[in-house]
Coordinates of all heavy atoms in Angstrom, one line a residue:
M25 N -3.1 12.5 10.9 CA -4.5 12.7 10.8 C -5.3 11.8 11.8 O -4.9 10.6 11.9 CB -5.0 12.4 9.4 CG -6.4 12.8 9.1 SD -6.8 12.6 7.4 CE -7.3 10.9 7.4
V26 N -6.2 12.4 12.5 CA -7.0 11.6 13.5 C -8.2 10.9 12.8 O -8.9 11.6 12.1 CB -7.5 12.5 14.6 CG1 -8.3 11.7 15.6 CG2 -6.3 13.2 15.3
L27 N -8.3 9.6 13.0 CA -9.3 8.8 12.4 C -10.5 8.8 13.3 O -10.4 8.8 14.5 CB -8.9 7.4 12.1 CG -7.8 7.2 11.1 CD1 -7.3 5.8 11.1 CD2 -8.2 7.7 9.7
R28 N -11.7 8.8 12.7 CA -12.9 8.6 13.5 C -13.0 7.2 14.0 O -12.4 6.3 13.4 CB -14.2 8.9 12.6 CG -14.5 10.4 12.5 CD -15.9 10.5 11.8 NE -15.7 11.4 10.7 CZ -16.4 11.3 9.5 NH1 -17.2 10.3 9.4 NH2 -16.3 12.1 8.6
S29 N -13.7 7.1 15.1 CA -13.6 5.8 15.8 C -14.2 4.6 14.9 O -13.9 3.5 15.1 CB -14.4 5.8 17.1 OG -15.7 6.2 16.8
N30 N -15.0 5.0 14.0 CA -15.6 3.9 13.1 C -14.8 3.6 11.9 O -15.1 2.8 11.1 CB -17.0 4.3 12.7 CG -17.1 5.5 11.8 OD1 -16.1 6.3 11.8 ND2 -18.2 5.8 11.1
C31 N -13.6 4.3 11.8 CA -12.7 4.0 10.7 C -11.7 2.9 11.0 O -11.2 2.9 12.2 CB -12.0 5.3 10.2 SG -13.1 6.5 9.5
I32 N -11.4 2.1 10.1 CA -10.4 1.0 10.3 C -9.0 1.6 10.0 O -8.8 2.2 8.9 CB -10.7 -0.2 9.4 CG1 -12.0 -0.8 9.7 CG2 -9.6 -1.3 9.6 CD1 -12.5 -1.8 8.7
D33 N -8.1 1.5 10.9 CA -6.7 2.1 10.7 C -6.0 1.0 9.9 O -5.6 0.0 10.4 CB -6.0 2.4 12.0 CG -4.7 3.1 11.8 OD1 -4.3 3.3 10.6 OD2 -4.1 3.4 12.7
E34 N -5.7 1.4 8.6 CA -5.0 0.4 7.7 C -3.5 0.7 7.7 O -2.8 0.0 7.0 CB -5.6 0.6 6.3 CG -7.1 0.3 6.1 CD -7.4 -1.2 6.2 OE1 -6.4 -2.0 6.3 OE2 -8.5 -1.5 6.1
T35 N -3.0 1.7 8.4 CA -1.6 2.0 8.4 C -0.7 0.8 8.7 O -0.9 0.1 9.7 CB -1.3 3.1 9.4 OG1 -2.2 4.2 9.1 CG2 0.1 3.6 9.2
G36 N 0.2 0.5 7.8 CA 1.1 -0.6 7.9 C 0.6 -1.9 7.4 O 1.4 -2.9 7.4
H37 N -0.6 -2.0 7.1 CA -1.1 -3.3 6.5 C -0.6 -3.5 5.1 O -0.3 -2.6 4.4 CB -2.7 -3.2 6.5 CG -3.3 -3.3 7.8 ND1 -4.7 -3.3 8.0 CD2 -2.7 -3.3 9.1 CE1 -4.9 -3.3 9.3 NE2 -3.8 -3.3 10.0
I38 N -0.5 -4.8 4.8 CA 0.0 -5.2 3.5 C -1.1 -5.8 2.7 O -1.8 -6.7 3.2 CB 1.1 -6.2 3.6 CG1 2.3 -5.7 4.5 CG2 1.7 -6.7 2.2 CD1 3.1 -4.6 3.9
Y39 N -1.4 -5.3 1.5 CA -2.4 -5.9 0.6 C -1.7 -6.2 -0.7 O -1.5 -5.3 -1.5 CB -3.5 -4.9 0.4 CG -4.4 -4.7 1.6 CD1 -4.1 -3.6 2.5 CD2 -5.4 -5.6 1.9 CE1 -4.9 -3.4 3.6 CE2 -6.2 -5.4 3.1 CZ -5.9 -4.3 3.9 OH -6.7 -4.2 5.0
G40 N -1.4 -7.5 -0.9 CA -0.7 -7.9 -2.1 C 0.7 -7.2 -2.2 O 1.5 -7.4 -1.3
K41 N 0.9 -6.4 -3.2 CA 2.2 -5.7 -3.3 C 2.1 -4.3 -2.7 O 3.1 -3.5 -2.8 CB 2.5 -5.5 -4.8 CG 2.8 -6.8 -5.5 CD 2.9 -6.6 -7.0 CE 3.2 -8.0 -7.7 NZ 3.2 -7.9 -9.1
L42 N 1.0 -3.9 -2.1 CA 0.9 -2.6 -1.5 C 1.1 -2.6 0.0 O 0.5 -3.5 0.7 CB -0.5 -2.1 -1.8 CG -0.9 -1.9 -3.3 CD1 -2.3 -1.5 -3.4 CD2 0.0 -0.8 -3.9
E43 N 1.8 -1.6 0.5 CA 1.9 -1.4 1.9 C 1.2 0.0 2.2 O 1.5 1.0 1.6 CB 3.3 -1.3 2.4 CG 3.5 -1.0 3.9 CD 4.9 -1.0 4.4 OE1 5.8 -1.2 3.6 OE2 5.1 -0.8 5.6
V44 N 0.3 0.0 3.2 CA -0.5 1.2 3.4 C 0.4 2.1 4.3 O 1.0 1.8 5.3 CB -1.8 0.9 4.2 CG1 -2.5 2.2 4.5 CG2 -2.6 -0.1 3.4
I45 N 0.6 3.4 3.8 CA 1.5 4.3 4.4 C 0.7 5.2 5.4 O 1.1 5.4 6.5 CB 2.2 5.2 3.3 CG1 2.9 4.4 2.3 CG2 3.1 6.2 4.0 CD1 4.0 3.5 2.8
E46 N -0.3 5.9 4.9 CA -1.0 6.8 5.8 C -2.4 7.1 5.2 O -2.7 7.0 4.0 CB -0.2 8.1 5.9 CG -0.1 8.9 4.6 CD 0.7 10.1 4.8 OE1 1.1 10.5 5.9 OE2 0.9 10.8 3.8
P47 N -3.3 7.6 6.1 CA -4.7 8.0 5.6 C -4.6 9.4 5.1 O -3.9 10.2 5.6 CB -5.5 7.9 6.9 CG -4.6 8.1 8.0 CD -3.2 7.6 7.6
I48 N -5.4 9.7 4.1 CA -5.5 11.0 3.5 C -7.0 11.3 3.2 O -7.8 10.3 3.0 CB -4.6 11.3 2.3 CG1 -5.1 10.3 1.1 CG2 -3.2 11.1 2.6 CD1 -4.4 10.7 -0.2
R49 N -7.3 12.5 3.1 CA -8.7 12.9 2.7 C -8.7 13.2 1.2 O -7.9 14.0 0.7 CB -9.1 14.2 3.4 CG -9.4 14.0 4.9 CD -10.8 13.3 5.1 NE -11.0 13.0 6.5 CZ -11.7 12.0 6.9 NH1 -12.4 11.3 6.0 NH2 -11.9 11.8 8.2
D50 N -9.6 12.5 0.5 CA -9.8 12.7 -1.0 C -10.4 14.1 -1.1 O -11.5 14.3 -0.7 CB -10.6 11.6 -1.6 CG -10.7 11.7 -3.1 OD1 -10.6 12.9 -3.6 OD2 -10.9 10.7 -3.7
P51 N -9.8 15.0 -1.8 CA -10.3 16.4 -1.9 C -11.5 16.5 -2.9 O -12.2 17.4 -2.9 CB -9.2 17.2 -2.4 CG -8.3 16.3 -3.1 CD -8.4 14.9 -2.4
T52 N -11.7 15.4 -3.7 CA -12.7 15.5 -4.7 C -14.0 14.8 -4.3 O -15.1 15.2 -4.6 CB -12.2 14.9 -6.0 OG1 -11.9 13.6 -5.8 CG2 -11.1 15.7 -6.6
K53 N -13.9 13.6 -3.6 CA -15.0 12.8 -3.4 C -15.6 13.1 -2.0 O -15.5 12.2 -1.1 CB -14.7 11.3 -3.6 CG -14.3 11.0 -5.0 CD -13.9 9.6 -5.1 CE -13.5 9.2 -6.5 NZ -13.0 7.9 -6.7
Y54 N -16.1 14.3 -1.7 CA -16.7 14.6 -0.5 C -15.7 14.3 0.7 O -16.2 13.9 1.8 CB -18.0 13.9 -0.3 CG -18.9 14.0 -1.4 CD1 -19.1 13.0 -2.4 CD2 -19.7 15.2 -1.7 CE1 -19.9 13.1 -3.5 CE2 -20.5 15.3 -2.8 CZ -20.6 14.3 -3.7 OH -21.4 14.4 -4.7
R55 N -14.4 14.6 0.5 CA -13.4 14.4 1.5 C -13.5 13.0 2.1 O -13.3 12.7 3.3 CB -13.6 15.4 2.6 CG -13.3 16.8 2.1 CD -13.5 17.9 3.2 NE -12.6 17.7 4.3 CZ -11.3 17.9 4.4 NH1 -10.7 18.4 3.3 NH2 -10.6 17.7 5.5
K56 N -13.7 12.0 1.2 CA -13.8 10.6 1.6 C -12.4 10.2 2.1 O -11.4 10.6 1.6 CB -14.2 9.8 0.4 CG -14.3 8.3 0.7 CD -14.6 7.6 -0.7 CE -14.7 6.1 -0.4 NZ -14.7 5.3 -1.7
L57 N -12.4 9.3 3.1 CA -11.1 8.8 3.6 C -10.5 7.8 2.6 O -11.1 6.8 2.2 CB -11.4 8.0 5.0 CG -10.1 7.4 5.6 CD1 -9.1 8.5 6.0 CD2 -10.5 6.5 6.8
M58 N -9.3 8.1 2.2 CA -8.5 7.3 1.3 C -7.2 6.9 2.0 O -6.8 7.4 3.0 CB -8.3 8.0 0.0 CG -9.5 8.5 -0.7 SD -10.5 7.2 -1.4 CE -9.7 6.9 -2.9
W59 N -6.5 6.0 1.3 CA -5.2 5.5 1.9 C -4.1 5.7 0.9 O -4.2 5.3 -0.3 CB -5.3 4.1 2.3 CG -6.3 3.9 3.5 CD1 -7.6 3.7 3.3 CD2 -6.0 4.1 4.8 NE1 -8.2 3.7 4.6 CE2 -7.3 3.9 5.5 CE3 -4.9 4.4 5.6 CZ2 -7.4 4.0 6.9 CZ3 -5.0 4.5 7.0 CH2 -6.2 4.3 7.6
R60 N -3.0 6.3 1.3 CA -1.8 6.3 0.5 C -1.0 5.1 0.6 O -0.7 4.7 1.8 CB -0.9 7.6 0.8 CG 0.2 7.9 -0.1 CD 0.7 9.3 0.0 NE 1.4 9.4 1.3 CZ 2.7 9.2 1.4 NH1 3.4 8.7 0.4 NH2 3.3 9.4 2.5
C61 N -0.7 4.4 -0.5 CA -0.1 3.1 -0.4 C 1.2 3.1 -1.2 O 1.3 3.8 -2.3 CB -1.0 2.0 -0.9 SG -2.6 1.9 -0.1
K62 N 2.2 2.4 -0.8 CA 3.4 2.2 -1.6 C 3.5 0.8 -2.1 O 3.4 -0.2 -1.4 CB 4.6 2.5 -0.7 CG 5.9 2.6 -1.5 CD 7.0 3.4 -0.7 CE 8.0 3.9 -1.7 NZ 8.9 4.8 -1.0
C63 N 3.7 0.7 -3.4 CA 3.8 -0.6 -4.1 C 5.3 -1.0 -4.0 O 6.2 -0.2 -3.8 CB 3.4 -0.4 -5.6 SG 3.4 -1.9 -6.5
I64 N 5.5 -2.4 -4.1 CA 6.8 -2.9 -4.0 C 7.7 -2.4 -5.1 O 8.9 -2.5 -5.0 CB 6.9 -4.4 -3.9 CG1 6.3 -5.0 -5.1 CG2 6.2 -4.9 -2.6 CD1 6.6 -6.5 -5.2
C65 N 7.1 -1.9 -6.2 CA 7.9 -1.4 -7.3 C 8.4 0.0 -7.1 O 9.2 0.6 -7.8 CB 7.2 -1.5 -8.6 SG 5.8 -0.3 -8.7
G66 N 7.9 0.7 -6.0 CA 8.3 2.0 -5.6 C 7.2 3.1 -5.9 O 7.3 4.2 -5.4
N67 N 6.2 2.7 -6.7 CA 5.2 3.7 -7.0 C 4.2 3.9 -5.8 O 4.1 2.9 -5.0 CB 4.3 3.2 -8.2 CG 5.0 3.4 -9.5 OD1 5.9 4.2 -9.7 ND2 4.6 2.6 -10.5
E68 N 3.7 5.1 -5.7 CA 2.7 5.3 -4.7 C 1.3 5.5 -5.3 O 1.2 6.2 -6.4 CB 3.1 6.5 -3.9 CG 4.3 6.3 -3.0 CD 4.5 7.4 -2.0 OE1 3.8 8.4 -2.0 OE2 5.5 7.3 -1.2
I69 N 0.3 5.0 -4.7 CA -1.1 5.2 -5.2 C -2.0 5.6 -4.0 O -1.6 5.4 -2.9 CB -1.6 3.9 -5.9 CG1 -1.8 2.8 -4.9 CG2 -0.8 3.5 -7.1 CD1 -2.7 1.7 -5.4
V70 N -3.1 6.1 -4.4 CA -4.1 6.4 -3.4 C -5.4 5.5 -3.7 O -5.8 5.5 -4.8 CB -4.5 7.9 -3.4 CG1 -5.7 8.1 -2.4 CG2 -3.3 8.7 -2.9
C71 N -5.9 4.8 -2.7 CA -7.1 4.0 -3.0 C -7.9 3.9 -1.7 O -7.5 4.3 -0.6 CB -6.8 2.6 -3.5 SG -5.7 1.7 -2.5
S72 N -9.1 3.4 -1.8 CA -10.0 3.4 -0.7 C -9.8 2.1 0.1 O -9.3 1.1 -0.4 CB -11.5 3.4 -1.2 OG -11.8 2.2 -1.8
G73 N -10.1 2.1 1.4 CA -9.9 1.0 2.2 C -10.8 -0.2 1.8 O -10.4 -1.3 1.9
S74 N -12.0 0.1 1.3 CA -12.9 -1.0 0.9 C -12.3 -1.7 -0.3 O -12.4 -2.9 -0.5 CB -14.3 -0.4 0.5 OG -14.2 0.6 -0.5
D75 N -11.6 -1.0 -1.3 CA -11.0 -1.6 -2.4 C -9.8 -2.5 -1.9 O -9.6 -3.6 -2.4 CB -10.4 -0.6 -3.4 CG -11.5 0.0 -4.3 OD1 -12.6 -0.6 -4.2 OD2 -11.2 0.9 -5.1
L76 N -9.1 -2.0 -0.9 CA -8.0 -2.8 -0.4 C -8.5 -4.1 0.3 O -8.0 -5.2 0.0 CB -7.2 -2.0 0.6 CG -6.3 -0.9 0.1 CD1 -5.8 0.0 1.3 CD2 -5.2 -1.4 -0.7
R77 N -9.5 -4.0 1.1 CA -10.0 -5.1 1.9 C -10.7 -6.1 1.0 O -10.7 -7.3 1.2 CB -10.9 -4.6 3.0 CG -10.1 -3.9 4.1 CD -11.0 -3.7 5.3 NE -12.0 -2.7 5.0 CZ -11.8 -1.3 5.1 NH1 -10.7 -0.9 5.4 NH2 -12.8 -0.5 4.8
A78 N -11.3 -5.6 -0.1 CA -12.0 -6.5 -1.1 C -11.0 -7.2 -2.0 O -11.4 -8.0 -2.8 CB -13.1 -5.8 -1.8
G79 N -9.7 -6.7 -2.0 CA -8.8 -7.3 -2.9 C -8.8 -6.7 -4.3 O -8.3 -7.3 -5.3
R80 N -9.5 -5.6 -4.5 CA -9.6 -5.0 -5.8 C -8.4 -4.2 -6.2 O -8.1 -4.0 -7.3 CB -10.8 -4.0 -5.9 CG -12.2 -4.8 -5.9 CD -13.3 -3.8 -6.2 NE -13.6 -2.9 -5.1 CZ -14.5 -3.2 -4.2 NH1 -15.2 -4.3 -4.2 NH2 -14.7 -2.3 -3.2
R81 N -7.6 -3.8 -5.2 CA -6.3 -3.2 -5.4 C -5.2 -4.0 -4.7 O -5.2 -4.0 -3.5 CB -6.3 -1.7 -4.9 CG -7.1 -0.7 -5.7 CD -6.9 -0.8 -7.2 NE -5.5 -0.4 -7.6 CZ -5.2 0.8 -8.0 NH1 -6.1 1.8 -8.1 NH2 -4.0 1.1 -8.4
T82 N -4.3 -4.6 -5.5 CA -3.2 -5.3 -4.8 C -1.9 -4.8 -5.3 O -0.8 -5.4 -4.9 CB -3.3 -6.8 -5.1 OG1 -3.4 -7.0 -6.5 CG2 -4.6 -7.4 -4.5
S83 N -1.9 -3.9 -6.3 CA -0.6 -3.3 -6.8 C -0.9 -1.9 -7.4 O -2.1 -1.5 -7.4 CB 0.0 -4.2 -7.9 OG -0.7 -4.1 -9.1
C84 N 0.1 -1.2 -7.8 CA -0.1 0.1 -8.3 C -0.7 0.1 -9.7 O -1.2 1.0 -10.2 CB 1.2 0.9 -8.3 SG 2.4 0.3 -9.5
G85 N -0.6 -1.1 -10.4 CA -1.1 -1.2 -11.8 C -0.3 -2.3 -12.5 O 0.4 -3.1 -11.9
K86 N -0.5 -2.3 -13.8 CA 0.1 -3.4 -14.6 C 1.6 -3.3 -14.8 O 2.2 -4.3 -15.0 CB -0.6 -3.4 -16.0 CG -2.1 -3.8 -15.9 CD -2.7 -3.8 -17.3 CE -4.2 -4.3 -17.1 NZ -4.8 -4.2 -18.4
R87 N 2.1 -2.0 -14.6 CA 3.5 -1.9 -14.9 C 4.4 -2.6 -14.0 O 5.6 -2.8 -14.3 CB 3.8 -0.4 -14.9 CG 3.4 0.4 -16.1 CD 3.6 1.9 -16.0 NE 2.8 2.4 -14.9 CZ 2.9 3.6 -14.4 NH1 3.9 4.4 -14.9 NH2 2.2 4.1 -13.4
C88 N 3.9 -3.0 -12.8 CA 4.9 -3.6 -11.9 C 4.6 -5.1 -11.7 O 5.0 -5.8 -10.8 CB 4.8 -3.0 -10.5 SG 3.2 -3.3 -9.7
N89 N 3.8 -5.7 -12.7 CA 3.5 -7.1 -12.5 C 4.7 -8.0 -12.6 O 4.7 -9.1 -12.2 CB 2.5 -7.5 -13.6 CG 1.1 -7.1 -13.2 OD1 0.9 -6.7 -12.1 ND2 0.2 -7.2 -14.1
H90 N 5.8 -7.5 -13.3 CA 7.0 -8.3 -13.4 C 7.8 -8.3 -12.1 O 8.7 -9.1 -11.9 CB 8.0 -7.7 -14.5 CG 8.4 -6.3 -14.2 ND1 7.6 -5.2 -14.4 CD2 9.6 -5.9 -13.7 CE1 8.3 -4.1 -14.0 NE2 9.5 -4.5 -13.6
V91 N 7.5 -7.4 -11.1 CA 8.1 -7.4 -9.8 C 7.5 -8.4 -8.9 O 6.3 -8.4 -8.7 CB 8.0 -6.0 -9.1 CG1 8.7 -6.0 -7.8 CG2 8.6 -4.9 -10.0
I92 N 8.3 -9.4 -8.5 CA 7.8 -10.5 -7.7 C 7.9 -10.1 -6.2 O 8.9 -9.5 -5.7 CB 8.7 -11.7 -7.9 CG1 8.7 -12.1 -9.4 CG2 8.3 -12.9 -7.0 CD1 9.8 -13.1 -9.7
N93 N 6.8 -10.3 -5.5 CA 6.7 -10.0 -4.1 C 7.5 -11.1 -3.3 O 7.0 -12.2 -3.2 CB 5.3 -9.9 -3.7 CG 5.2 -9.4 -2.2 OD1 6.2 -9.2 -1.6 ND2 4.0 -9.2 -1.8
E94 N 8.6 -10.8 -2.8 CA 9.5 -11.7 -2.1 C 9.3 -11.6 -0.6 O 9.9 -12.4 0.1 CB 11.0 -11.5 -2.5 CG 11.3 -11.7 -3.9 CD 11.5 -13.1 -4.3 OE1 11.2 -14.0 -3.5 OE2 12.1 -13.4 -5.4
I95 N 8.5 -10.7 -0.1 CA 8.4 -10.5 1.3 C 7.8 -11.8 1.9 O 6.8 -12.3 1.5 CB 7.5 -9.3 1.6 CG1 8.2 -8.0 1.1 CG2 7.3 -9.2 3.1 CD1 7.3 -6.8 1.1
G96 N 8.5 -12.3 3.0 CA 8.1 -13.5 3.7 C 8.7 -14.7 3.1 O 8.6 -15.8 3.8
N97 N 9.3 -14.7 1.9 CA 10.0 -15.9 1.4 C 11.2 -16.1 2.2 O 11.9 -15.2 2.6 CB 10.3 -15.7 -0.1 CG 9.0 -15.7 -1.0 OD1 7.9 -16.0 -0.5 ND2 9.2 -15.4 -2.2
T98 N 11.6 -17.4 2.2 CA 12.8 -17.8 2.9 C 13.8 -18.4 1.9 O 13.4 -19.1 1.0 CB 12.6 -18.8 4.1 OG1 11.9 -19.9 3.5 CG2 11.7 -18.1 5.2
Y99 N 15.1 -18.0 2.1 CA 16.1 -18.6 1.2 C 17.2 -19.1 2.2 O 18.0 -18.3 2.7 CB 16.7 -17.5 0.3 CG 15.7 -17.1 -0.7 CD1 14.9 -16.0 -0.5 CD2 15.4 -17.8 -1.9 CE1 13.9 -15.6 -1.4 CE2 14.5 -17.5 -2.8 CZ 13.7 -16.4 -2.6 OH 12.8 -16.0 -3.5
G100 N 17.2 -20.4 2.5 CA 18.2 -20.9 3.4 C 17.8 -20.4 4.8 O 16.7 -20.6 5.3
T101 N 18.8 -19.6 5.4 CA 18.6 -19.1 6.7 C 18.1 -17.6 6.6 O 17.9 -16.9 7.6 CB 19.8 -19.1 7.6 OG1 20.9 -18.4 6.8 CG2 20.3 -20.5 7.8
L102 N 17.9 -17.1 5.4 CA 17.5 -15.7 5.2 C 16.0 -15.6 5.0 O 15.4 -16.4 4.2 CB 18.2 -15.1 4.0 CG 19.7 -15.0 4.1 CD1 20.3 -14.5 2.7 CD2 20.2 -14.2 5.2
I103 N 15.3 -14.6 5.6 CA 13.9 -14.4 5.4 C 13.8 -12.9 4.8 O 14.4 -12.0 5.4 CB 13.1 -14.4 6.7 CG1 13.3 -15.8 7.4 CG2 11.7 -14.1 6.5 CD1 12.7 -15.9 8.7
V104 N 13.1 -12.8 3.8 CA 12.9 -11.5 3.1 C 11.9 -10.7 4.0 O 10.7 -11.1 4.2 CB 12.3 -11.6 1.7 CG1 12.2 -10.2 1.1 CG2 13.2 -12.5 0.9
L105 N 12.4 -9.5 4.6 CA 11.6 -8.7 5.4 C 10.8 -7.6 4.7 O 9.7 -7.4 4.9 CB 12.4 -8.1 6.5 CG 13.1 -9.1 7.5 CD1 14.0 -8.3 8.5 CD2 12.0 -9.9 8.2
K106 N 11.5 -6.9 3.9 CA 10.9 -5.8 3.2 C 11.8 -5.4 2.0 O 12.9 -5.8 1.9 CB 10.8 -4.5 4.1 CG 12.1 -4.0 4.6 CD 11.9 -2.8 5.6 CE 11.6 -1.6 4.8 NZ 11.6 -0.4 5.6
R107 N 11.1 -4.6 1.1 CA 11.9 -4.1 -0.1 C 12.6 -2.9 0.3 O 12.1 -2.0 1.0 CB 10.9 -3.9 -1.2 CG 11.6 -3.5 -2.5 CD 10.5 -3.2 -3.6 NE 11.1 -2.5 -4.7 CZ 11.7 -3.0 -5.7 NH1 11.8 -4.3 -5.8 NH2 12.2 -2.3 -6.7
D108 N 13.8 -2.8 -0.2 CA 14.7 -1.6 0.1 C 14.5 -0.7 -1.1 O 14.9 -1.0 -2.2 CB 16.1 -2.0 0.3 CG 17.0 -0.8 0.7 OD1 16.5 0.3 0.7 OD2 18.2 -1.0 0.9
F109 N 14.0 0.5 -0.9 CA 13.8 1.5 -2.0 C 15.0 2.4 -2.2 O 15.0 3.1 -3.2 CB 12.5 2.3 -1.7 CG 11.3 1.5 -1.8 CD1 10.6 1.2 -0.6 CD2 10.7 1.2 -3.0 CE1 9.5 0.4 -0.6 CE2 9.5 0.4 -3.0 CZ 8.9 0.1 -1.8
S110 N 16.0 2.3 -1.4 CA 17.1 3.2 -1.5 C 18.0 2.8 -2.7 O 18.1 1.6 -3.0 CB 17.9 3.2 -0.2 OG 18.4 1.9 0.1
P111 N 18.6 3.7 -3.4 CA 19.5 3.4 -4.5 C 20.7 2.7 -4.0 O 21.3 3.0 -3.0 CB 19.8 4.7 -5.1 CG 19.6 5.7 -4.0 CD 18.5 5.2 -3.1
H112 N 21.1 1.7 -4.8 CA 22.3 0.9 -4.4 C 23.5 1.4 -5.2 O 23.4 1.6 -6.4 CB 22.1 -0.6 -4.6 CG 21.1 -1.1 -3.7 ND1 21.3 -1.5 -2.4 CD2 19.7 -1.3 -3.9 CE1 20.2 -2.0 -1.9 NE2 19.2 -1.8 -2.7
N113 N 24.6 1.6 -4.6 CA 25.8 2.1 -5.3 C 26.7 0.9 -5.7 O 26.7 -0.1 -5.1 CB 26.7 2.9 -4.3 CG 25.9 4.2 -3.9 OD1 25.2 4.8 -4.8 ND2 26.0 4.6 -2.7
Ligands
LIG7 ZN1 3.8 -1.3 -8.5

């Protein structure tokens, strides 16, 4: 989707536990620009850029509060880069 020049491209930005995946048009609110975000718990939500930037949305909801955001933490010589959503065998 092509963004208007006055829109802030949030793709790839991290807000708390949310990573912004892509912009979408909200079909109900006058086609307002919204953002699809992936939470570190694996849930996906849609929220507005203003909510993200104001810190009003930092996770998908209360259900994932037990999931600790480890991204950026260091353990010895290891640095946590990202959460792996793939199933582990
Ligand atoms: Zn979550």
Side-chain angles (χ1 to χ4, degrees):
M25 190 174 86
V26 177
L27 295 173
R28 278 190 233 142
S29 59
N30 62 344
C31 291
I32 302 167
D33 188 357
E34 300 284 1
T35 306
H37 290 180
I38 304 288
Y39 291 95
K41 294 174 180 172
L42 298 174
E43 179 178 1
V44 183
I45 305 299
E46 62 178 1
I48 63 168
R49 288 282 173 205
D50 187 330
T52 59
K53 296 177 182 174
Y54 310 101
R55 295 177 60 75
K56 184 184 174 190
L57 178 66
M58 303 290 280
W59 294 92
R60 190 162 70 86
C61 304
K62 189 160 202 169
C63 185
I64 61 166
C65 70
N67 285 338
E68 290 189 1
I69 64 162
V70 172
C71 57
S72 70
S74 58
D75 278 357
L76 288 170
R77 290 187 292 276
R80 288 191 288 267
R81 289 309 297 263
T82 57
S83 73
C84 68
K86 291 179 180 175
R87 283 176 295 171
C88 69
N89 280 351
H90 64 283
V91 180
I92 301 167
N93 188 357
E94 297 278 14
I95 296 170
N97 289 352
T98 56
Y99 294 94
T101 57
L102 299 174
I103 302 172
V104 182
L105 296 177
K106 62 180 285 190
R107 184 179 164 90
D108 184 359
F109 292 102
S110 62
H112 294 277
N113 297 319

